[in-house]
Amino acid sequence: MEKTMLLRVLEYFLELSNDEVVKSIFQNHYNKETLNVKAIKTVFEREGAVVPEGYTGKDVNKEAPRLYDGGFDLFFIRTMTEVLMGLYTLHLGMSYRKDIRQLYNRFIDDLQDTSNQVTEYLLEQGILIHPPIVPLPKEVEYVDKTSYMSGMNILKPKRVLNTVEIGLLYQSLEINAIGTQLMTSFAQVAENDQSKKYFARGKELAKQVTTTMQDILLESDIHPPSIWAGEITESTLSPFSDKLMMYITNMLSVFSLSGNTFGSAFSMRNDLTLKLNKIMKDTFDFAEDGGKIMIEHGWMEEPPQAADRRKLSKE
C-alpha cells in the first residue's frame, strides 16, 4: 500500500520535474521502489495469498498541471522517507522470518539513501532551515530539584527547554508546515465534497499544532525558524485520486500520533505532556473521521485478518 502510493506520487513529480539533479534522485528511488513492489508481490504469491491492489495508474493523472512549486516535491519525499523509515524499523523488529527481515533492511537502506540525497540537495540550495542551536555544555550536570519536571504552576517560572524537547518540537513544526501545504493543495483539488471539507479541516489542525509548538519555543526565548515548505499553484485539477490523497492524510495522521506519543514520553515538563496529549486527542479524532470517510466510499483496502472461529462453528 505504502510503496504503490509512493510510486504514483513519484510518477507525477517526475513528469513535471525540470531539475536534472532532482529528476535523477526521484528516478533512482522510483526504480528501487518498483523492484521492492515486485519483491513484495513475490512473497504474497509464494505464500498463496492474494496480492493487495494498492494504488494503480487510475490513482494518478500525470497530465494534470503543476500543483506544487518551490521545492515542495523534495520536502514531501523527505517527509515520506522519515515516515516510512520509522514504520519499517518497527516492522523489522516485529519480523521473525529471515527473508522478511532482509527485505525490510533493504527497504530501510533504500529510504536512507534517498533521504540523504534529498537533504543534502535542499541544504545546498539553502532552502532547508536548520533547527535552533543551543550552547554546548561545558560540564556534566544532574537534575537536583523536582521542579525540573514542573510546568503547570503559574506562580513559578518554567525551566527552559532541553535539547530533547527542542528537537521533538522542531520536528513537529517541520512536519506540520509541510502538512499545512499538503492539506491546502488536497482541499483545492479534491473532487468529493466530503473529502474536500476533511482536507480543509486537516489544514486548520496542522496550523493549530504549528502555532502551539511556536508558542512553546517562544516561552523559552527560542525564536521559531520560519520553515519553508514550497508553494501551491492555483491549479484545481487533481493529479491524484481522492482515495490516494485520503490514504496519504491517514498515514501522516498516524505518524503524527506516534511522534506526539514519543514526544510526550520523553518530555520532562508536565505542561508539555498535557499539550501534546491534547494534540494527540485532536489528531486521533481527525484520523478516525478520515477512516470513516474512506470506508464509506470504499477506499480502504482491508488487511488480512484472523479466521472468525465463531462464524465457522455456526456454518
Side-chain angles (χ1 to χ4, degrees):
M1 301 297 291
E2 294 148 6
K3 292 194 174 301
T4 53
M5 172 276 291
L6 199 54
L7 285 177
R8 303 294 80 81
V9 174
L10 283 168
E11 285 168 358
Y12 173 68
F13 287 163
L14 280 166
E15 190 70 26
L16 294 175
S17 178
N18 49 23
D19 184 309
E20 290 305 315
V21 176
V22 174
K23 202 163 189 174
S24 175
I25 294 171
F26 287 172
Q27 187 65 60
N28 286 339
H29 194 69
Y30 182 85
N31 294 342
K32 290 175 182 177
E33 293 293 39
T34 300
L35 292 175
N36 289 334
V37 168
K38 288 180 180 177
I40 294 170
K41 284 183 177 179
T42 300
V43 172
F44 280 117
E45 289 168 350
R46 190 172 60 226
E47 298 298 327
V50 65
V51 177
E53 182 181 12
Y55 297 92
T56 67
K58 296 182 295 183
D59 296 299
V60 60
N61 178 11
K62 291 185 284 186
E63 306 302 318
R66 185 181 298 277
L67 181 58
Y68 304 106
D69 219 335
F72 179 86
D73 52 356
L74 286 161
F75 283 107
F76 177 83
I77 294 301
R78 184 171 181 268
T79 300
M80 276 296 134
T81 57
E82 287 181 36
V83 172
L84 294 177
M85 274 193 288
L87 286 173
Y88 295 157
T89 302
L90 177 66
H91 296 166
L92 178 62
M94 295 163 58
S95 301
Y96 290 82
R97 270 175 43 168
K98 184 178 180 180
D99 60 331
I100 304 300
R101 285 185 279 114
Q102 288 173 336
L103 203 55
Y104 276 120
N105 276 319
R106 189 173 102 188
F107 296 165
I108 294 167
D109 288 343
D110 290 346
L111 288 165
Q112 284 179 328
D113 184 46
T114 300
S115 179
N116 287 334
Q117 290 181 51
V118 170
T119 301
E120 283 302 314
Y121 183 82
L122 287 170
L123 288 170
E124 288 169 7
Q125 298 301 307
I127 53 177
L128 183 60
I129 309 300
H130 284 279
I133 297 172
V134 301
L136 291 174
K138 304 301 181 186
E139 58 185 29
V140 176
E141 294 184 11
Y142 284 84
V143 177
D144 58 1
K145 294 180 180 178
T146 56
S147 58
Y148 186 87
M149 302 174 67
S150 177
M152 303 291 289
N153 192 337
I154 59 174
L155 301 177
K156 293 183 180 180
K158 302 170 185 176
R159 65 159 173 82
V160 295
L161 298 167
N162 61 38
T163 51
V164 176
E165 292 158 349
I166 293 170
L168 292 165
L169 291 169
Y170 183 79
Q171 185 188 45
S172 181
L173 261 180
E174 195 175 68
I175 293 292
N176 280 281
I178 294 160
T180 300
Q181 293 288 70
L182 191 67
M183 292 298 98
T184 301
S185 69
F186 285 179
Q188 185 172 302
V189 299
E191 295 180 357
N192 180 276
D193 286 340
Q194 204 173 7
S195 51
K196 187 182 283 287
K197 290 176 183 176
Y198 183 72
F199 296 138
R201 177 182 162 192
K203 178 181 74 171
E204 293 307 314
L205 178 59
K207 287 166 64 176
Q208 177 188 325
V209 174
T210 300
T211 301
T212 300
M213 300 305 171
Q214 288 174 333
D215 290 345
I216 295 171
L217 289 170
L218 284 170
E219 285 176 357
S220 287
D221 294 319
I222 298 170
H223 184 71
S226 180
I227 298 172
W228 175 254
E231 298 174 344
I232 310 299
T233 70
E234 294 183 350
S235 173
T236 55
L237 181 61
S238 181
F240 310 118
S241 67
D242 283 20
K243 173 186 173 183
L244 180 61
M245 293 189 290
M246 286 294 297
Y247 177 76
I248 293 172
T249 305
N250 181 261
M251 178 188 287
L252 291 176
S253 298
V254 171
F255 179 73
S256 178
L257 275 172
S258 60
N260 285 319
T261 301
F262 185 81
S264 181
F266 281 86
S267 294
M268 299 179 187
R269 256 177 40 185
N270 53 20
D271 63 313
L272 297 183
T273 301
L274 190 66
K275 289 177 181 178
L276 289 172
N277 285 341
K278 170 65 167 60
I279 291 171
M280 279 191 282
K281 168 68 168 58
D282 294 341
T283 306
F284 177 82
D285 291 342
F286 177 72
E288 185 178 39
D289 289 344
K292 291 176 181 177
I293 293 172
M294 293 173 74
I295 292 170
E296 183 180 333
H297 292 279
W299 295 336
M300 184 181 287
E301 193 167 347
E302 186 177 338
Q305 60 187 29
D308 188 338
R309 300 299 174 184
R310 286 178 296 179
K311 182 180 177 182
L312 290 171
S313 297
K314 289 177 182 177
E315 290 174 352

